């Protein structure tokens, strides 16, 4: 460490409020770089290293880089440039990852969409992001013809070029790298835009602790529409590791998947706890499991902990760029979300902020806030919501913590400096790792003919997490629940369509007039909820992957 960086650390530490938790300050991880730089550096350093494996197809870093260059050049020829947001809708596999890299190399940002996203939702997101077009394939493109946007298919983008290769110009680390849409409580998904510099810093920051290396074989299971996929894909590109992509049938089979991971020598697994809990086989080749995206049960750690296998719990909302904190988990120790990653910070405020922000002392429970270079600028085109959740940090120490993001998570910083996550201040829930605002489903339901009052609840019936919609029909209208399910299926991703619709004559209410959600949580249902949890990305009962 140079004497000037040491002096800077001393200066920062001197002014940090004692109730604020800062991760290690490592300015060298904050660089003026973009995602494409990371991939290109690795392709130069290790051209023959295998980057991607899918079934019997292997692609080296050199081949990945060259294929992405070809497609990027075609996108640049079509007018795609830095600052623009381009849709990305493809089935899982190597071509999806080549196209993602191509958008990065063209200098644009991608807006990833799950393979099972309804076309109407795709249209809403592309419109909201003012996307000029979408990268897709011949198979999917017929469903997008009425979008009124450019459709770039892999088949066209990968045809050999007659013109010289074009490369990006004018791309800065402040330009957007990707936009992820998450459920929005007001009935419309909200877009979170993350910069090139923000995501590159995150990759370096998290891997400074995780330690994924070039010799690792990393499972690629997450949908690219979920930001934990960056931990798999782009940390691997950063260090030159090999990604092993499971075919869809295998990824959705919790019995076959662990056997395949073991047979293929996978050493690193990033997963939501719900997925790991479904595995009933050990995976001897694993040296590192990174859990995240939802609360991790202690019993799961006890089941998997063994010498030679590191288990981590990473925590963070999309708004703070993938993850903000990390804990090393050990058997028979309480599960926490640990302490901030390098250059991130965490603090707890009183949830009521009408009279300004009040910092809570260590040990007290309040709303968790995050600071650091990963905090996004805000929600695309939503200044009101942005102003509510992204605030000036009154306790800034100057260490890239000028702004803070209010997570809506209830938490406490223990005296030993570890953070305990204790639930939510609002109606946001996680269902098998997917983030859902119950209010968005309620809004969409309330727009359906015959629906009067509605409340959607996440319940655990018979060990299975289910969304249940409670509905009082309007003026005694007759509602066919099959029709409702079909209507919602056209507007919402499968994981947001309730497993069960319960019709009732009256909604239970508190004396204040508010819906009594606690009563709905325990109210017996007239028919058993449907569906069972299984692994896979294309059915309503999948886990986030
Ligand atoms: P997402 O933006 O989809 O990553 O969801 C972020 C939210 O998921 C957080 O605000 C938490 O409510 C929850 N979450 C993410 N990681 C964890 C974790 N490791 N433990 C507990 N909750 C988590």
């Amino acid at each position: 460490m140079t004497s000037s960086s040491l002096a800077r650390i001393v200066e920062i530490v001197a002014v940090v409020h004692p109730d604020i938790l800062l991760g290690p300050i490592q300015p060298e991880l904050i660089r003026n770089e973009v995602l494409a730089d990371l991939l290109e550096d690795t392709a130069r350093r290790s051209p023959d290293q295998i980057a991607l494996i899918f079934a019997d197809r292997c692609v080296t870093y050199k081949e990945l880089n060259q294929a992405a260059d070809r497609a990027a050049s075609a996108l640049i020829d079509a007018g795609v440039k830095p600052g623009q947001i381009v849709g990305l809708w493809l089935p899982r596999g190597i071509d999806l990852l080549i196209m993602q890299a191509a958008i990065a190399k063209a200098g644009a940002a991608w807006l990833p969409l799950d393979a099972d996203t309804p076309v109407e939702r795709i249209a809403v997101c592309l419109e909201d992001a003012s996307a000029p077009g979408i990268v897709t394939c011949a198979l999917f493109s017929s469903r997008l013809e009425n979008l009124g946007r450019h459709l770039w298919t892999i088949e066209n983008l990968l045809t050999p070029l007659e013109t010289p290769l074009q490369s990006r110009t004018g791309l800065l680390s402040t330009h957007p790298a990707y936009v992820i849409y998450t459920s929005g409580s007001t009935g419309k998904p909200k877009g979170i835009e993350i910069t090139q510099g923000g995501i590159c810093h995150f990759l370096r920051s998290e891997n400074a602790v995780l330690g994924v290396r070039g010799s690792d074989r990393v499972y690629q299971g997450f949908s690219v529409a979920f930001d934990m996929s960056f931990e798999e894909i782009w940390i691997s590109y950063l260090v030159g590791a090999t990604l092993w992509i499971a075919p869809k049938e295998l990824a959705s089979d919790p019995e076959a998947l662990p056997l395949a991971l073991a047979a293929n020598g996978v050493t690193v697994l990033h997963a939501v706890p719900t997925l790991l809990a479904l595995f009933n086989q050990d995976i001897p080749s694993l040296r590192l499991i990174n859990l995240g995206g939802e609360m991790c049960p202690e019993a799961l750690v006890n089941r998997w902990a063994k010498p030679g296998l590191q288990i981590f719990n990473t925590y963070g909302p999309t708004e703070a760029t993938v993850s903000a904190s990390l804990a090393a988990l050990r058997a028979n120790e309480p599960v926490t979300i640990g302490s901030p990653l390098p250059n991130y910070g965490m603090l707890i405020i009183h949830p009521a902020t009408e009279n300004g922000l009040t910092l809570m002392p260590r040990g007290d429970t309040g709303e968790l806030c995050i600071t650091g270079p990963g905090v996004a600028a805000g929600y695309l085109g939503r200044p009101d919501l942005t102003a509510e959740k992204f605030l000036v940090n009154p306790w800034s120490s100057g260490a890239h913590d000028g702004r803070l993001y209010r997570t809506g998570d209830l938490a406490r910083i223990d005296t030993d400096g570890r953070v305990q996550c204790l639930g939510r201040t609002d109606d946001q829930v996680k269902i098998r790792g997917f983030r859902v605002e119950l209010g968005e489903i309620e809004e969409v339901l309330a727009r359906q003919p015959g629906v009067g009052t509605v409340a959607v609840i996440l319940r655990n019936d018979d060990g299975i997490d289910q969304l249940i919609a409670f509905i009082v029909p309007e003026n005694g209208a007759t509602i066919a629940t099959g029709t409702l399910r079909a209507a919602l299926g056209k507007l919402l991703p499968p994981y947001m369509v309730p497993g069960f619709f319960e019709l009732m004559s009256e909604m239970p209410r508190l004396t204040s007039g508010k819906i009594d959600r606690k009563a709905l949580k325990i109210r017996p249902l007239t028919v058993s909820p449907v569906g069972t949890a299984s692994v896979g990305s294309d059915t309503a009962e999948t886990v986030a992957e």
Side-chain angles (χ1 to χ4, degrees):
M1 184 182 300
T2 63
S3 58
S4 66
S5 56
L6 184 63
R8 173 129 181 85
I9 291 175
V10 172
E11 176 199 323
I12 290 163
V13 169
V15 292
V16 172
H17 192 290
D19 293 325
I20 293 176
L21 206 54
L22 280 192
I25 295 171
Q26 294 185 236
E28 73 282 6
L29 303 178
I30 307 170
R31 303 183 188 183
N32 187 14
E33 59 191 356
V34 299
L35 282 175
D37 295 335
L38 307 184
L39 178 59
E40 287 163 3
D41 283 353
T42 299
R44 251 189 311 271
R45 221 176 39 238
S46 318
D48 301 323
Q49 164 80 335
I50 303 290
L52 311 172
I53 303 176
F54 183 74
D56 50 11
R57 186 175 167 201
C58 283
V59 172
T60 63
Y61 271 96
K62 183 174 167 196
E63 289 163 341
L64 165 62
N65 196 44
Q66 284 179 342
D69 270 340
R70 267 209 312 279
S73 184
L75 288 171
I76 294 168
D77 271 337
V80 169
K81 37 172 113 38
Q84 284 184 334
I85 298 163
V86 170
L88 179 62
W89 191 43
L90 286 166
R92 61 189 286 135
I94 285 179
D95 288 339
L96 167 60
L97 299 192
I98 292 175
M99 290 302 126
Q100 189 190 55
I103 297 172
K105 280 171 155 278
W110 64 80
L111 187 176
L113 297 145
D114 266 329
D116 59 4
T117 308
V119 170
E120 288 184 44
R121 195 172 178 90
I122 293 178
V124 167
C125 295
L126 294 179
E127 171 75 27
D128 194 69
S130 309
I134 179 164
V135 174
T136 183
C137 56
L139 184 69
F140 286 4
S141 65
S142 59
R143 288 189 263 162
L144 298 173
E145 269 156 14
N146 299 326
L147 274 185
R149 286 168 206 279
H150 287 291
L151 303 182
W152 294 294
T153 61
I154 42 173
E155 291 81 0
N156 288 335
L157 291 173
L158 287 178
T159 44
L161 298 171
E162 273 138 36
T163 48
L165 271 189
Q166 304 259 25
S167 45
R168 62 184 175 277
T169 49
L171 178 60
L172 305 173
S173 61
T174 47
H175 276 122
Y178 63 92
V179 174
I180 284 186
Y181 274 81
T182 68
S183 178
S185 58
T186 53
K188 201 177 153 198
K190 50 185 192 276
I192 302 155
E193 186 177 277
I194 301 296
T195 62
Q196 299 275 350
I199 183 63
C200 290
H201 164 260
F202 162 75
L203 302 169
R204 292 189 185 279
S205 168
E206 185 172 277
N207 207 42
V209 190
L210 275 189
V212 175
R213 39 193 193 237
S215 54
D216 275 315
R217 190 169 273 205
V218 179
Y219 175 54
Q220 206 286 285
F222 282 114
S223 153
V224 294
F226 190 24
D227 66 358
M228 278 183 79
S229 62
F230 277 94
E231 298 177 300
E232 299 176 331
I233 301 166
W234 287 85
I235 288 185
S236 294
Y237 292 172
L238 174 71
V239 299
T242 299
L243 284 167
W244 185 81
I245 312 165
K248 190 175 150 229
E249 318 72 65
L250 199 59
S252 56
D253 182 341
E255 283 183 14
L257 182 58
L259 291 172
L261 294 176
N264 286 280
V266 168
T267 57
V268 175
L269 172 68
H270 302 270
V272 291
T274 314
L275 173 63
L276 190 67
L278 293 173
F279 290 0
N280 53 13
Q281 294 280 336
D282 185 24
I283 306 166
S285 56
L286 281 184
R287 69 168 193 86
L288 193 160
I289 298 178
N290 171 34
L291 297 169
E294 61 185 7
M295 293 272 188
C296 175
E298 222 171 291
L300 189 64
V301 185
N302 293 344
R303 201 177 112 202
W304 280 85
K306 64 170 189 185
L309 176 63
Q310 287 180 289
I311 306 181
F312 294 101
N313 184 22
T314 44
Y315 158 90
T318 308
E319 288 86 338
T321 312
V322 190
S323 300
S325 75
L326 175 147
L329 301 179
R330 291 179 195 89
N332 306 312
E333 284 185 15
V335 170
T336 74
I337 58 165
S339 53
L341 291 172
N343 303 316
Y344 281 84
M346 285 177 153
L347 52 116
I348 309 285
I349 59 165
H350 196 283
T353 54
E354 293 82 17
N355 301 318
L357 301 182
T358 312
L359 191 60
M360 309 275 284
R362 297 255 169 133
D364 282 12
T365 301
E367 183 176 352
L368 179 61
C369 297
I370 298 173
T371 64
V375 174
Y379 299 109
L380 265 190
R382 308 281 290 274
D384 295 356
L385 192 57
T386 300
E388 205 181 294
K389 304 287 273 176
F390 294 84
L391 308 177
V392 170
N393 176 10
W395 304 283
S396 171
S397 63
H400 296 277
D401 61 352
R403 295 165 59 250
L404 58 80
Y405 170 67
R406 295 180 58 180
T407 64
D409 286 314
L410 281 172
R412 176 178 75 218
I413 302 179
D414 287 341
T415 42
D416 62 2
R418 282 188 284 191
V419 184
Q420 298 270 355
C421 212
L422 302 163
R424 295 285 307 171
T425 60
D426 57 16
D427 286 340
Q428 183 181 300
V429 296
K430 279 275 170 143
I431 177 157
R432 298 181 286 276
F434 291 106
R435 170 171 161 179
V436 173
E437 292 280 359
L438 298 173
E440 180 173 358
I441 308 172
E442 290 168 356
E443 275 280 327
V444 173
L445 264 172
R447 293 204 297 266
Q448 305 309 311
V451 172
T453 315
V454 56
V456 177
I457 304 284
L458 178 69
R459 293 192 6 171
N460 188 288
D461 289 287
D462 301 328
I464 299 163
D465 275 345
Q466 287 271 1
L467 291 169
I468 314 280
F470 292 91
I471 300 168
V472 178
E474 201 172 37
N475 304 324
T478 309
I479 297 179
T481 54
T483 313
L484 268 189
R485 179 180 301 284
L488 263 58
K490 286 195 182 142
L491 299 166
L492 297 172
Y495 59 86
M496 285 177 72
V497 178
F500 188 68
F501 297 87
E502 174 82 357
L503 301 178
M504 359 191 251
S505 54
E506 204 182 339
M507 191 62 80
R509 293 201 182 261
L510 300 165
T511 42
S512 63
K514 283 187 181 169
I515 292 175
D516 186 350
R517 290 180 178 266
K518 279 196 185 137
L520 292 176
K521 281 223 159 198
I522 50 171
R523 185 187 167 104
L525 300 175
T526 49
V527 184
S528 298
V530 290
T532 52
S534 67
V535 201
S537 58
D538 298 323
T539 63
E541 290 85 28
T542 59
V543 292
E545 51 143 347

